[in-house]
Amino acid sequence: MKILVVEDDLLVAEALRITLSDRTYAVEVAHDGRSGLDFIEAFDYDLLLLDVILPNLDGISICRHVRSRGYMMPILLLTSKDSKHDRAIGLDAGADDYVIKPFDPEELSARIRALLRRGNDRMQPVLTWEDLTLDPRNYEVTYQHQLLNLTPKEYSLLELFLRHNRQLFSCGAILEHLWTYEDAPSEEAVRTHIKGLRHKLKAAGAPTNLVETVYGIGYRLKPNDPIVSRSSIAADPQIEIVPVELPIESTTTRSQTATATNSLHFLTDIWNRHYAQILDRVASIDLVINALEDRSLTTEIRHQAWQSAHTLAGTLGTFGLSLGSQIAKQIESLLDANSELTPAQIPELKSGVKLLRQEIASKTAPVETTIVTPPNSPSPQLLVVTSEPNLASSLRSANPGKFEIVSATELSLGQLAQTPQLIILDLDCFPQIADGLAVLSELERDYPQIPTIVLSQPNPPANINGEGAIRLHQRIKLANSGAKLSLSKPLAAGQILLAVDRVLQQARASQARVTIVDDDRLLLESVSALLSLQGMTVTTLSDPSRFWETLEASAPDLLILDLDMPTHDGIELCRAVRTDPQWASLPILFLTAHSASIASDRVFAAGADDFVTKPVIDSTLVTRIVNRLERIGLVLSG
């Protein structure tokens, strides 16, 4: 869990950082209000801890700004003022709780735990998964009642997996959740902590794959048969029983699995088509070995081999070959022009190339495929969730084959053959309107790319008794929950279909445009396919010399640049973009095979907004892109 502390008193800020870090939280600190607000808009936090009196921007103003922008994380105020009036001002501004200075560390920790639980209704004090139990009250983890001695980061990893037990986490996502920006290590450190966690779980008798690797994507708790051992804990009301089936959660899991399957399908197809090119890159490293043996090594041969190793280091991991990526990085380091290369290093190079070929061969061999284009693409699908049997049939009658109408009495996206382009949700399906609003909110959270039209009973007309205010209040609730349009019943099928057209046109108009510049065509194609799956319009460019005309023709909402390229590198292109008034505020994200510590100074100094280290993991890249687009107010719709 990540907490931002905004406190101008350096001693108090340091005391808070140490206190919370000792309790396994990842803590970042800002010393003035403006810097704190910049942190909030740039990164995701589970909780904000704000001093009320701050330079540049006070804590109350930060509260108001955060809530006006729709951020829902809990806010805890620190104040030396104990009057009821001061407390009321803070709570009215959007704070959830307050602590009076000087504070007691135990009380502060308890209030933070309470706020984090309150922010998630399912976040109970004790978390379980099969025979595994984690108790945040005393930071204890047991498996079959056997106490596990975990390091703080192993504990945090396990807590992350348990709190989001149906979610996949890439290494990049884990870094963002459990480390501060300044202290973030390499992704290899994440793998080391996961290895240590697995070892301790196995020693306690847990299955070796309890923490499962989904290759090329990330990590999660093993989802097969997640049946909780209830016998010893059923009497404790504070223990969370992880259910086997939850309608919304199970739908989310199936959708995530379907997306991951589509991603892997695209990547496998791209791998097959570029397999010969990958082997050619390995062969160029052989040329260096041969030249060293013949004592005929030239700068050109060495540079070409270095470029091949650099490219392989950045792309193999994208296809699930993380070991291959590490081997390529070691070879790249040997071939670096700044280091001496002698015949004595031939055995090391030969060993690296042999391991590299073995790793590449371990992936499914290329399969000759015949691409068959269907005579007609499937019609866009509309999912109608309603208890009225005639609604779907009347829509089909009024629909001249433009949409495929699928009807259901309850929401279950995972059972559909294709993802619906739009959902029509009838609130009469639910016993209470609040139940429908909850489902609508979860749709907005888990499927933001699918617009939803809500059907509801008409509100009473406005009169002197205030029913008009009730009508407005309900519409505000629907809008806040994610409805793109709210229609009152009864309504003719033709009117509903006109509304569908309107909403889909708005969605298409707000589709994000992304331009990617990278000299590695394999990476271009794989990243383009992954982003296209998310509904983005992608333009790719492998020749940096044609950058400016491509930029003007594609007019992107976000630009992705490779750091190292021939002719013009990404730093030069980024600086050129920032000098032009038309593109000065364009979000720019870098891809780099360099470590985060090396890349961050260079890319941010050039004017970049963010960077992702290669190998590219699709969930990490998409999350970074979506976050950056949300910062500029662009909503992704597909």
Side-chain angles (χ1 to χ4, degrees):
M1 308 292 279
K2 187 180 285 189
I3 295 176
L4 174 65
V5 174
V6 187
E7 169 62 69
D8 62 320
D9 187 319
L10 300 184
L11 291 178
V12 174
E14 182 64 11
L16 287 168
R17 188 190 65 79
I18 294 173
T19 297
L20 298 178
S21 297
D22 287 345
R23 287 159 173 79
T24 76
Y25 298 112
V27 184
E28 289 183 334
V29 179
H31 296 296
D32 66 87
R34 182 58 58 186
S35 297
L37 199 57
D38 289 340
F39 272 74
I40 294 166
E41 293 183 344
F43 304 102
D44 293 326
Y45 296 99
D46 297 293
L47 182 138
L48 305 180
L49 187 56
L50 308 177
D51 189 16
V52 172
I53 301 175
L54 293 166
N56 297 332
L57 192 69
D58 63 82
I60 301 297
S61 298
I62 294 176
C63 273
R64 290 179 178 138
H65 181 85
V66 165
R67 295 308 188 215
S68 70
R69 295 294 298 271
Y71 294 105
M72 300 305 294
M73 76 282 281
I75 299 176
L76 179 62
L77 289 179
L78 284 175
T79 177
S80 56
K81 298 180 179 181
D82 194 19
S83 71
K84 293 181 179 179
H85 176 68
D86 290 320
R87 297 179 200 171
I89 291 175
L91 296 174
D92 287 342
D96 298 275
D97 200 355
Y98 59 89
V99 170
I100 305 300
K101 295 181 183 179
F103 57 86
D104 177 72
E106 289 303 322
E107 179 189 357
L108 178 66
S109 299
R111 288 182 180 272
I112 288 174
R113 287 196 300 270
L115 286 177
L116 290 173
R117 288 197 300 271
R118 195 183 308 166
N120 185 342
D121 291 339
R122 297 185 67 246
M123 192 181 290
Q124 299 298 326
V126 179
L127 306 173
T128 65
W129 183 266
E130 298 184 352
D131 294 321
L132 181 67
T133 301
L134 182 148
D135 189 346
R137 295 170 296 187
N138 51 23
Y139 305 101
E140 285 187 354
V141 176
T142 60
Y143 186 83
Q144 293 181 343
H145 307 292
Q146 180 179 343
L147 186 66
L148 275 67
N149 183 22
L150 302 182
T151 66
K153 275 296 181 280
E154 289 167 352
Y155 174 90
S156 298
L157 263 173
L158 189 57
E159 183 181 19
L160 179 67
F161 291 142
L162 282 166
R163 293 204 185 280
H164 308 275
N165 52 59
R166 298 176 185 272
Q167 184 174 340
L168 274 167
F169 288 95
S170 67
C171 284
I174 291 171
L175 285 171
E176 289 192 0
H177 275 85
L178 302 185
W179 275 270
T180 64
Y181 178 74
E182 292 181 350
D183 297 332
S186 67
E187 293 187 354
E188 185 58 34
V190 174
R191 299 185 185 97
T192 300
H193 286 297
I194 287 178
K195 182 178 179 180
L197 175 60
R198 284 173 170 160
H199 177 75
K200 292 176 181 178
L201 287 170
K202 181 181 177 182
T208 56
N209 62 345
L210 182 61
V211 178
E212 180 186 34
T213 300
V214 180
Y215 289 99
I217 300 176
Y219 304 93
R220 64 180 176 188
L221 290 177
K222 180 73 172 176
N224 293 339
D225 301 325
I227 302 174
V228 179
S229 176
R230 301 168 183 262
S231 57
S232 61
I233 58 178
D236 189 343
Q238 292 185 311
I239 293 184
E240 174 184 16
I241 306 296
V242 180
V244 178
E245 288 293 338
L246 285 176
I248 293 299
E249 292 289 341
S250 59
T251 300
T252 303
T253 304
R254 287 191 291 267
S255 174
Q256 290 171 340
T257 303
T259 301
T261 302
N262 288 336
S263 299
L264 292 175
H265 169 75
F266 273 100
L267 291 178
T268 301
D269 180 58
I270 294 168
W271 173 270
N272 289 341
R273 285 189 280 109
H274 290 269
Y275 189 77
Q277 180 184 349
I278 293 169
L279 294 181
D280 286 343
R281 288 174 178 162
V282 179
S284 73
I285 302 172
D286 279 329
L287 293 178
V288 168
I289 298 174
N290 296 335
L292 277 173
E293 290 176 334
D294 298 340
R295 299 185 182 277
S296 59
L297 181 63
T298 65
T299 302
E300 182 181 356
I301 292 176
R302 178 173 180 167
H303 178 75
Q304 185 176 355
W306 175 87
Q307 185 65 47
S308 294
H310 178 78
T311 303
L312 288 169
T315 57
L316 289 179
T318 304
F319 296 89
L321 301 178
S322 57
L323 177 59
S325 182
Q326 295 170 30
I327 296 168
K329 284 182 179 179
Q330 294 171 359
I331 296 174
E332 177 191 357
S333 178
L334 284 173
L335 297 176
D336 190 282
N338 294 323
S339 59
E340 184 181 1
L341 192 61
T342 66
Q345 291 169 304
I346 290 176
E348 188 175 357
L349 282 170
K350 283 185 174 180
S351 175
V353 170
K354 181 180 178 180
L355 290 173
L356 195 58
R357 282 200 166 95
Q358 289 175 351
E359 180 71 358
I360 292 171
S362 69
K363 190 170 179 65
T364 305
V367 178
E368 293 187 7
T369 58
T370 302
I371 300 176
V372 180
T373 303
N376 294 303
S377 298
S379 300
Q381 189 177 90
L382 303 185
L383 174 61
V384 183
V385 183
T386 180
S387 56
E388 295 184 14
N390 298 327
L391 179 58
S393 59
S394 62
L395 288 172
R396 292 190 189 99
S397 300
N399 167 42
K402 185 176 181 180
F403 300 111
E404 177 191 356
I405 310 294
V406 177
S407 179
T409 56
E410 60 182 23
L411 194 63
S412 186
L413 298 187
Q415 297 178 358
L416 300 177
Q418 68 180 87
T419 301
Q421 194 165 10
L422 183 140
I423 297 173
I424 299 174
L425 186 66
D426 187 351
L427 291 184
D428 286 344
C429 287
F430 304 96
Q432 303 290 334
I433 288 182
D435 298 328
L437 291 174
V439 169
L440 192 59
S441 296
E442 297 202 42
L443 276 174
E444 175 70 10
R445 182 194 68 198
D446 298 331
Y447 304 93
Q449 76 278 14
I450 306 178
T452 303
I453 294 177
V454 170
L455 304 180
S456 61
Q457 293 294 335
N459 288 284
N463 59 29
I464 58 174
N465 294 322
E467 283 86 349
I470 296 173
R471 176 172 54 189
L472 175 61
H473 180 65
Q474 180 170 318
R475 285 193 175 276
I476 290 174
K477 277 190 173 182
L478 289 171
N480 289 341
S481 299
K484 294 298 182 288
L485 201 63
S486 175
L487 303 177
S488 296
K489 301 194 304 185
L491 205 63
Q495 292 175 293
I496 296 177
L497 291 174
L498 285 174
V500 168
D501 281 332
R502 172 185 165 191
V503 171
L504 290 178
Q505 285 174 5
Q506 291 173 343
R508 284 189 290 270
S510 63
Q511 190 176 52
R513 299 183 302 274
V514 178
T515 295
I516 313 171
V517 186
D518 197 307
D519 61 314
D520 182 358
R521 294 180 181 272
L522 177 58
L523 184 137
L524 274 182
E525 193 169 344
S526 58
V527 172
S528 176
L530 292 171
L531 298 186
S532 297
L533 279 175
Q534 304 297 322
M536 303 180 199
T537 300
V538 182
T539 301
T540 60
L541 176 66
S542 60
D543 179 7
S545 64
R546 296 177 49 238
F547 170 71
W548 205 261
E549 63 242 50
T550 303
L551 176 69
E552 292 181 333
S554 59
D557 300 303
L558 181 138
L559 176 64
I560 298 178
L561 299 174
D562 185 26
L563 184 60
D564 299 302
M565 294 184 290
T567 313
H568 303 292
D569 63 27
I571 297 293
E572 293 173 327
L573 298 182
C574 183
R575 287 173 177 157
V577 169
R578 290 298 182 232
T579 62
D580 188 286
Q582 180 182 355
W583 305 108
S585 59
L586 175 67
I588 299 177
L589 183 148
F590 269 84
L591 299 179
T592 173
H594 295 292
S595 66
S597 59
I598 294 175
S600 60
D601 291 341
R602 295 182 63 194
V603 301
F604 288 132
D609 298 278
D610 202 353
F611 70 93
V612 173
T613 55
K614 299 178 182 178
V616 175
I617 304 298
D618 62 331
S619 57
T620 301
L621 180 62
V622 170
T623 299
R624 295 287 183 87
I625 290 175
V626 170
N627 286 345
R628 189 53 52 189
L629 291 172
E630 286 178 345
R631 299 289 182 234
I632 62 172
L634 182 67
V635 180
L636 281 175
S637 300

